[in-house]
Amino acid sequence: MHANEIARPLPAPPSTDWRAVAVVVAAGVASSFHLGKVAIAAPQLQAGLGLSLAMLGALGGTFAVLGALGGVAAGSVIARAGDRRMLALGLVATVLGALLAVLSGSYAALLASRGVEGLGFVLITVAGPTVLARLVQAADRSRAMALWSCFMPTGIALAMLTGPWFGGWRSLWVAAALASGLIAVLVLWAVPRAPGAHATAASPPARIAEVWRGPALALATTFLLYSLMFFALFSFLPVLLQQRMQVGPGAVGLLAALASAANIAGNLAAGALLPRVGRTVLGTAAAAAMALCALGIFVPVLPPWAAFALCLVFSAIGGLVPSSLLSSVPQVTATPAHAALAVGLLMQGSNLGQALGPLLVGNAVDRHGWPAAAVCVVVAALTMGCAVRWRAGAGAS
């Protein structure tokens, strides 16, 4: 690759635009609300459309599959077309997908609508950190990425809490579409354009190969294992609360939302801890703590209240990981185009873990009971500890 084929890094901003940061985080929250709305509306979808659990699983898993397959491709598109434009386009896609679902009367159309929403989700989750990387000063990077990392648990918790307020699933979908449309307008108003073109002239395969050979691959592997552990618990938490912890149906949604909200606290804490504690130490400690919590959660040796308390700890400690990984991207990439590809690779790892976690744990629990879930999480945690060390050796400590 010739020197004139590489984009120059964007100059550091004179100050962090926190108003724009807030709008970008709101875009992420809106995208995860679309992700979580299927779970809370599942009974209404079953009653209204006659959907089976397998059909509901396909609707819920669409986002993870698209993210696992298209993260790097989304990063390539964002590197060429511009992060602000693709962030707004992702929000528009979620609006169109939600409206398609509202107007549909068949499962096939609903599944297609989830594909459109999922495309928007991928664009938003890759473009968001890319925008933040150029809007915040280096001194504010950890705090900004900690705020961004809250988008997933915040959106899912909001969906769990507000979903029952709506009379039917269609009204919930319309409300989510309106929120996404409003935030798209705010993105175009509050988020500044990148100062000049920042796409590289090199072919996408060349740029992707550079990212795959670099430390971003170690970051993505760590994200995959973290996501696998997190969704190994949270995909089955409502069932676990009822079967393992004897929680009544009325309290399941509230407790699941509380556990998801604990992850927000961990993400925010990471913003304060990262400047003081190395990423390697933080990642290793988080992996060890999640493994120990999993033993107490899934192995029936503790009373139900103690097991749920460990769910809160598991969620909060796990929240230290995403912002740690995302804030490392500017340190291991040379240009905004490479940063977009690296974020895409990280989100691809995250979504692959989100898809694999429920699959592996579900099969293990079906065959060997809930203690088998603890084994899965412990093995993933040990592997994550090795990945963190590999990440440090690759230059992303």
Side-chain angles (χ1 to χ4, degrees):
M1 188 184 303
H2 298 293
N4 60 359
E5 292 181 317
I6 302 177
R8 295 182 179 88
L10 293 177
S15 62
T16 298
D17 187 346
W18 289 108
R19 180 185 65 180
V21 170
V23 172
V24 172
V25 173
V29 171
S31 72
S32 64
F33 189 98
H34 286 279
L35 171 65
K37 66 187 181 184
V38 167
I40 195 63
Q44 298 169 351
L45 290 168
Q46 283 183 303
L49 299 177
L51 303 186
S52 66
L53 288 177
M55 289 177 173
L56 288 171
L59 293 177
T62 303
F63 283 30
V65 172
L66 288 172
L69 296 176
V72 173
S76 181
V77 171
I78 289 165
R80 287 178 171 269
D83 48 25
R84 173 180 176 269
R85 183 185 305 170
M86 290 298 101
L87 182 62
L89 182 62
L91 288 161
V92 171
T94 62
V95 173
L96 295 177
L99 295 181
L100 174 62
V102 170
L103 298 174
S104 71
S106 69
Y107 174 70
L110 187 59
L111 188 61
S113 76
R114 291 295 285 175
V116 177
E117 290 177 350
L119 175 62
F121 177 82
V122 175
L123 289 175
I124 293 166
T125 54
V126 178
T130 309
V131 173
L132 294 180
R134 67 174 175 83
L135 291 185
V136 301
Q137 293 182 313
D140 296 324
R141 185 177 298 143
S142 295
R143 187 161 41 143
M145 288 303 177
L147 290 172
W148 167 258
S149 299
C150 295
F151 84 89
M152 182 73 81
T154 301
I156 293 175
L158 283 175
M160 294 291 179
L161 289 174
T162 63
W165 299 352
F166 298 90
W169 70 266
R170 282 185 169 86
S171 59
L172 175 59
W173 262 239
V174 169
L178 290 174
S180 290
L182 174 61
I183 296 170
V185 173
L186 291 176
V187 166
L188 296 176
W189 170 67
V191 177
R193 293 184 178 88
H198 62 273
T200 67
S203 64
R207 296 202 308 271
I208 292 171
E210 289 183 36
V211 171
W212 273 92
R213 288 194 301 267
L217 180 58
L219 295 174
T221 302
T222 306
F223 216 155
L224 185 157
L225 293 163
Y226 159 75
S227 185
L228 188 155
M229 290 190 291
F230 185 83
F231 285 97
L233 171 61
F234 276 83
S235 294
F236 300 100
L237 184 57
V239 177
L240 184 69
L241 287 170
Q242 293 185 59
Q243 294 184 1
R244 159 81 174 83
M245 304 180 190
Q246 307 302 312
V247 175
V252 166
L254 179 61
L255 292 179
L258 179 62
S260 182
N263 192 254
I264 301 172
N267 279 286
L268 294 176
L273 290 174
L274 280 173
R276 300 174 175 83
V277 182
R279 288 173 171 80
T280 301
V281 174
L282 206 62
T284 304
M290 293 175 77
L292 292 174
C293 287
L295 292 172
I297 292 168
F298 293 114
V299 179
V301 295
L302 296 176
W305 65 266
F308 179 71
L310 288 179
C311 290
L312 299 179
V313 176
F314 180 99
S315 180
I317 295 294
L320 298 173
V321 178
S323 57
S324 170
L325 298 175
L326 289 168
S327 64
S328 299
V329 169
Q331 298 178 346
V332 302
T333 53
T335 71
H338 285 85
L341 288 171
V343 171
L345 181 61
L346 262 67
M347 297 314 300
Q348 195 156 317
S350 173
N351 283 281
L352 185 57
Q354 181 181 340
L356 288 176
L359 178 63
L360 294 175
V361 171
N363 286 331
V365 172
D366 282 342
R367 295 186 178 191
H368 306 290
W370 285 112
V375 175
C376 293
V377 174
V378 169
V379 171
L382 292 173
T383 310
M384 179 177 154
C386 296
V388 168
R389 296 294 174 181
W390 169 36
R391 189 180 85 204
S397 61

